[in-house]
Amino acid sequence: MIGYNKFFDYWFHYLVKVKNKYKSIGNKKPAKALINKDLYETLDMLKTTNEELYQIFNLTADGMLVIDPDYNILRINETLLALLGIDREKAEGKKCFDILHCTNYHTTNCPANGVLSGMGKIEYEEEKIFNKEKKYFVITATSLKNTEGQLIGVVETFKDVTELKQTEKEIKKLIYYDALTELPNRAYFVMQFEKAFAVAKAKEGMLAVMFLDLDDFKYINDTFGHSIGDKMLKNVAQRLKTIIHDEDVVSRIGGDEFTILLSKIKNMDEAANVAEALLNILQKPFHLNENEFVLSASIGISIYPMDGDDTETIIKHADMAMYQAKKQDINHYKFFNSSTKKDFSNHFNLVNHLRNAIERDEFFLTYQPQYDIRSGHIIGVEALIRWNNAKMGMISPTEFIPLAEDTSLIVPIGRWVLQTACSQMKSLQDEEFPPIRVAVNLSIRQLHQPDFVEMVRDIVKETGFDPNWLEFEITESIALDKFNYNISILNQLKEMGIKISLDDFGTGYSSLSYLKMLPIDTLKIDKAFIQNLAIDPSNKAISSAIINLSHTLHLGVIAEGIETNEQLQCLREQNCDYVQGFLLSKPMQLHELRKKLQSFS
Ligand code: C2E
Ligand code: CA
Ligand code: CA
């Protein structure tokens, strides 16, 4: 430890310096008397307390430094020496800025400067003070005055706030970043957008905001589970980052939704190029847990200054354009325009109207006959829901069923369908038509309702419809999520005599080994494979394979979407069992079906 003498030396040295300083600047006060008085008084005090004081000065948690008005280091404590990683000898006789490699320390930003030019106290935050280690300090510079109130130096304390900064960083990360993908989140996006927006406004520049939504993500998440979904999102984030430059922002604002800010564009083409690049990079297959996934996305773009004059509007318009892009096609981008707005308000209207549709009696069922391909007899019908809204007219189920599935409205709607199909078919049977099967489409969400089997049992009981003539059409997603649970539900339905058919077969991701375990009766070849049957040899191969597979598994097979005689002929050659399509019959209401059945009998 540096002893009393050395401490005294410093202090003395310091006071002498101060004396000289005051001399040199022509201080009118009697410097000598002043210095002597200070010196002796101080020494007097130090005689009794210096060891203690010295220890306190050295051991305090903050770095401390005393400089004279010429920036000469008069005192420096052990804590600051340790922080700087230098020996006391290296600090002695130096100017403060020789040892403190502060970024701005010797400029006007230097806190000592401010204090020396008359400001009483300055607090100053400094980062990267030392070359060796990045540290953050709060430096407080306070004027040191003698008993006469004259400025004789500056005392600086260095509070190490590195840890605090680290915590702050972590908190910021929580507030501004998405934990899963490590992309910025909505809050950060909005903040950055506002900055860029202010610049664009001032410089009459251009900005683009993109809203990107993955097309099949919900399906993947629901069927393959969240851990695959999460991996997928991380991978998507990585890919998006390869397209978006540093000065722009890509953020994840929820689920499978991403927003992108392009702040340096000069025209719409540039935004379109970026959108295309984003769509392309997402289309490359993803390999996760030995599965290969091919994704597509929809992008909506809005441009400042054309599409809005405030943050909220511009972001909202990009969202609307995305919604419209999604509706048009998969893997699509769309710029906002005035028709988007109209379309979007429709979307919200739709959900609101859908909530009231049952009460208002706006649904009705149509039935599309299914035929035995060999005999040409009607063997059953598929019940297909129709929605006729007073204001909006007829709305296609391809439009409102996904919406109903997203909002759980599918549960009451599905119940209504089953109830209506059973009671209408019962009425036909009561009219003594030969019985035909009715196929009712089931959403997986309905099946997962805890009281689903109960509900089915109640409905067949209430309507008196024989469940042996009831069939449920389920999609392949049944084979992937909650597999064992689904099997147990299907078995309970089968015990009631209900048939199960696997709809849209060939479009899902299910593996055959799973399918084999499902208690199903029929495979339904998706109409996508039927549509190009006569022209596309690969579709021909697919339908043929599905038909053979069904027969190997002792299942019936039905093809849907038959529109031409060539398609029908082809399916006949391939030995398909049943057919359904516009060529044979369009979906029709009960009274038309009655007529149709009459003409057959
Ligand atoms: P889906 O189950 O695949 O139903 C077959 C769709 O193909 C029906 O469309 C039908 O009208 C149409 N279709 C039939 N023959 C042909 C044809 O020859 N060519 C073409 N291009 N299309 C044909 P729809 O009625 O518009 O239903 C669309 C989808 O809505 C259905 O597809 C089904 O997924 C869903 N859906 C309809 N009704 C219900 C329901 O009651 N409950 C549930 N959960 N979904 C339903
Ligand atoms: Ca169907
Ligand atoms: Ca289908």
Side-chain angles (χ1 to χ4, degrees):
M1 186 178 140
I2 297 156
Y4 168 85
N5 285 337
K6 215 155 192 186
F7 183 67
F8 176 85
D9 286 351
Y10 275 107
W11 203 246
F12 187 73
H13 176 73
Y14 152 58
L15 291 171
V16 171
K17 282 261 180 188
V18 174
K19 184 186 90 176
N20 292 339
K21 168 86 180 168
Y22 275 71
K23 255 187 184 166
S24 68
I25 58 174
N27 192 296
K28 290 197 179 79
K29 292 229 168 189
K32 197 173 178 194
L34 158 80
I35 295 300
N36 286 343
K37 191 173 160 230
D38 279 353
L39 178 65
Y40 292 114
E41 274 177 10
T42 311
L43 289 181
D44 229 24
M45 184 186 71
L46 289 177
K47 261 175 200 157
T48 52
T49 61
N50 79 84
E51 275 303 324
E52 263 172 63
L53 274 178
Y54 188 70
Q55 279 196 34
I56 294 166
F57 180 72
N58 266 331
L59 297 177
T60 175
D62 298 339
M64 278 179 83
L65 180 74
V66 183
I67 57 169
D68 73 7
D70 281 333
Y71 302 93
N72 294 306
I73 296 171
L74 302 175
R75 305 277 298 118
I76 182 162
N77 75 348
E78 294 292 322
T79 316
L80 188 54
L81 289 171
L83 285 171
L84 296 167
I86 57 167
D87 299 333
R88 181 167 291 280
E89 283 66 37
K90 284 213 172 120
E92 281 176 8
K94 296 268 169 53
K95 305 261 185 197
C96 61
F97 40 80
D98 292 333
I99 59 156
L100 297 165
H101 302 290
C102 296
T103 357
N104 288 318
Y105 208 74
H106 196 213
T107 70
T108 45
N109 279 353
C110 171
N113 277 347
V115 172
L116 290 172
S117 62
M119 296 166 78
K121 185 178 175 181
I122 284 182
E123 218 169 66
Y124 169 86
E125 213 176 278
E126 173 75 42
E127 67 169 76
K128 252 204 281 184
I129 291 192
F130 314 119
N131 294 331
K132 280 185 194 162
E133 213 180 332
K134 190 168 178 175
K135 292 226 168 224
Y136 298 87
F137 290 92
V138 171
I139 306 171
T140 310
T142 322
S143 55
L144 181 68
K145 288 178 179 167
N146 63 17
T147 45
E148 312 289 309
Q150 287 172 311
L151 185 71
I152 51 173
V154 180
V155 178
E156 290 179 18
T157 57
F158 294 73
K159 194 178 262 308
D160 185 348
V161 292
T162 312
E163 236 173 85
L164 205 74
K165 277 269 168 189
Q166 199 52 40
T167 315
E168 189 186 306
K169 253 191 189 164
E170 277 159 24
I171 292 172
K172 270 200 176 140
K173 208 171 158 184
L174 289 176
I175 297 174
Y176 289 121
Y177 287 84
D178 161 43
L180 177 69
T181 61
E182 294 182 356
L183 286 182
N185 62 11
R186 183 191 287 270
Y188 185 87
F189 184 84
V190 170
M191 185 174 75
Q192 292 305 108
F193 178 84
E194 272 168 359
K195 279 187 200 161
F197 184 51
V199 174
K201 253 185 151 167
K203 294 188 175 169
E204 297 188 355
M206 206 178 202
L207 284 181
V209 170
M210 293 185 180
F211 222 96
L212 184 151
D213 187 290
L214 303 177
D215 289 332
D216 303 316
F217 185 71
K218 193 179 168 316
Y219 178 80
I220 290 169
N221 215 28
D222 286 353
T223 51
F224 288 89
H226 293 287
S227 86
I228 287 274
D230 285 355
K231 277 186 195 159
M232 177 79 84
L233 289 172
K234 279 189 197 171
N235 278 281
V236 167
Q238 287 304 323
R239 288 197 189 176
L240 297 180
K241 277 202 288 196
T242 62
I243 305 291
I244 304 303
H245 303 302
D246 280 350
E247 68 266 27
D248 294 325
V249 184
V250 52
S251 70
R252 176 174 173 241
I253 60 156
D256 58 343
E257 289 180 334
F258 298 83
T259 47
I260 293 133
L261 168 69
L262 305 178
S263 49
K264 299 262 173 341
I265 55 156
K266 291 179 199 67
N267 52 53
M268 285 167 78
D269 284 350
E270 284 182 33
N273 290 341
V274 173
E276 262 167 36
L278 291 169
L279 292 177
N280 282 339
I281 200 147
L282 290 182
Q283 269 203 312
K284 299 204 171 95
F286 289 89
H287 297 277
L288 300 173
N289 294 12
E290 292 161 13
N291 290 309
E292 185 180 284
F293 296 89
V294 180
L295 273 190
S296 66
S298 304
I299 299 179
I301 311 170
S302 76
I303 303 275
Y304 170 80
M306 285 96 88
D307 302 332
D309 202 25
D310 62 88
T311 313
E312 208 183 313
T313 312
I314 295 168
I315 296 178
K316 193 175 79 192
H317 283 174
D319 188 9
M320 289 181 183
M322 185 281 294
Y323 167 73
Q324 213 185 27
K326 206 180 238 346
K327 252 183 64 178
Q328 282 185 352
D329 201 356
I330 59 160
N331 224 45
H332 214 64
Y333 68 86
K334 187 140 182 57
F335 282 98
F336 175 81
N337 61 41
S338 53
S339 76
T340 315
K341 207 167 180 171
K342 213 171 120 228
D343 203 74
F344 193 71
S345 59
N346 284 345
H347 170 81
F348 279 105
N349 267 338
L350 218 59
V351 182
N352 280 335
H353 286 297
L354 197 56
R355 282 183 209 289
N356 303 315
I358 295 181
E359 260 172 56
R360 296 191 181 147
D361 211 13
E362 294 180 336
F363 291 128
F364 62 93
L365 287 186
T366 59
Y367 299 94
Q368 186 175 31
Q370 302 175 327
Y371 297 82
D372 183 314
I373 203 167
R374 294 173 199 94
S375 68
H377 288 156
I378 294 179
I379 48 100
V381 288
E382 177 179 7
L384 293 161
I385 192 170
R386 295 290 174 263
W387 179 22
N388 189 9
N389 178 264
K391 277 197 187 135
M392 295 179 291
M394 291 294 293
I395 298 136
S396 159
T398 52
E399 205 165 329
F400 72 82
I401 291 287
L403 219 61
E405 283 171 343
D406 283 350
T407 54
S408 295
L409 284 169
I410 194 66
V411 176
I413 294 174
R415 193 188 305 123
W416 179 89
V417 171
L418 184 62
Q419 159 90 41
T420 310
C422 287
S423 87
Q424 293 191 333
M425 284 298 129
K426 168 74 175 138
S427 71
L428 274 190
Q429 287 182 357
D430 289 348
E431 291 166 37
E432 296 187 357
F433 283 108
I436 50 165
R437 210 165 35 232
V438 61
V440 171
N441 289 285
L442 265 196
S443 292
I444 191 95
R445 190 135 189 187
Q446 287 173 266
L447 194 106
H448 287 164
Q449 291 298 303
D451 60 348
F452 179 70
V453 177
E454 245 346 78
M455 190 235 4
V456 176
R457 205 169 268 135
D458 287 350
I459 287 178
V460 290
K461 205 168 150 199
E462 268 168 39
T463 56
F465 186 65
D466 179 356
N468 285 298
W469 296 104
L470 181 60
E471 180 171 77
F472 282 130
E473 292 195 2
I474 53 168
T475 58
E476 275 178 85
S477 56
I478 192 115
L480 296 155
D481 187 30
K482 298 189 185 172
F483 188 63
N484 291 328
Y485 177 79
N486 295 342
I487 288 187
S488 82
I489 299 288
L490 294 182
N491 279 329
Q492 292 177 60
L493 297 172
K494 292 218 60 154
E495 276 165 29
M496 291 164 67
I498 299 169
K499 307 280 180 298
I500 309 291
S501 119
L502 207 57
D503 202 359
D504 303 340
F505 188 74
T507 58
Y509 296 87
S510 49
S511 89
L512 285 177
S513 52
Y514 279 109
L515 286 181
K516 249 169 69 179
M517 292 154 75
L518 282 174
I520 48 177
D521 304 280
T522 315
L523 289 188
K524 196 166 184 184
I525 309 172
D526 190 67
K527 55 181 171 292
F529 302 120
I530 307 301
Q531 233 88 100
N532 295 322
L533 204 52
I535 38 175
D536 185 343
S538 69
N539 277 345
K540 215 166 180 167
I542 291 169
S543 63
S544 166
I546 296 176
I547 292 165
N548 290 333
L549 170 79
S550 309
H551 292 155
T552 315
L553 297 175
H554 304 290
L555 302 174
V557 60
I558 175 164
E560 67 177 338
I562 291 124
E563 293 178 352
T564 67
N565 276 313
E566 287 96 318
Q567 291 162 357
L568 184 63
Q569 187 50 34
C570 189
L571 289 162
R572 199 171 268 138
E573 283 160 17
Q574 291 182 340
N575 215 11
C576 186
D577 301 323
Y578 313 108
V579 280
Q580 174 186 348
F582 292 168
L583 176 73
L584 307 150
S585 270
K586 289 209 163 175
M588 57 188 81
Q589 291 194 53
L590 186 68
H591 62 274
E592 298 166 294
L593 178 66
R594 189 180 282 118
K595 272 192 214 150
K596 184 118 201 147
L597 292 174
Q598 271 163 354
S599 72
F600 263 82
S601 51

